[in-house]
Amino acid sequence: MAIVEVTDKNFATDVEGANSGTVLVDFWAPWCGPCKIIGPILEEVNDEIGDKVTIAKLNVDNNPESASKFGVMSIPTLMVFQNGEMKSKLVGLQPKEQLIQWLGEYM
């Protein structure tokens, strides 16, 4: 499954309204250096476990409501949602192995 883009308009439906499975949301911005580095890492994570986790990206510059709602103060911020509820958050650049281990708790 491909990484999906979410916006303020579809966040409630696509992330909070997801009734089954795990959704990882990457709060990012195009000007953020660490965000540019974590993008390809998330692609690798998606290649390895994308059948168990939906990975979504939300551009905080274009979608300030969702970022504000979840208290995103710095980027990249990664949040895990299950059944529409935010379960866990990581802030900053993370290596692939750590992301997969972290996500393993929610699969």
Side-chain angles (χ1 to χ4, degrees):
M1 179 179 278
I3 293 177
V4 297
E5 293 283 334
V6 291
T7 65
D8 284 342
K9 290 183 180 182
N10 68 7
F11 195 93
T13 305
D14 293 358
V15 177
E16 295 176 294
N19 292 329
S20 62
T22 301
V23 181
L24 170 67
V25 181
D26 172 24
F27 292 83
W28 71 286
W31 49 263
C32 165
C35 298
K36 292 177 185 178
I37 296 169
I38 205 167
I41 294 171
L42 290 174
E43 292 282 350
E44 291 179 26
V45 170
N46 188 57
D47 289 345
E48 289 187 30
I49 61 170
D51 58 330
K52 299 176 185 130
V53 176
T54 300
I55 299 178
K57 294 178 73 67
L58 182 125
N59 182 326
V60 297
D61 287 343
N62 298 338
N63 302 283
E65 289 175 28
S66 297
S68 176
K69 178 179 180 178
F70 292 99
V72 174
M73 301 299 280
S74 60
I75 52 174
T77 292
L78 304 171
M79 293 186 190
V80 173
F81 290 81
Q82 280 187 317
N83 300 319
E85 185 180 333
M86 199 271 282
K87 297 288 189 180
S88 185
K89 172 169 79 170
L90 278 176
V91 178
L93 185 59
Q94 308 293 327
K96 179 179 81 170
E97 295 75 21
Q98 184 173 343
L99 288 174
I100 290 173
Q101 181 180 5
W102 176 58
L103 288 167
E105 298 177 39
Y106 304 99
M107 293 189 286

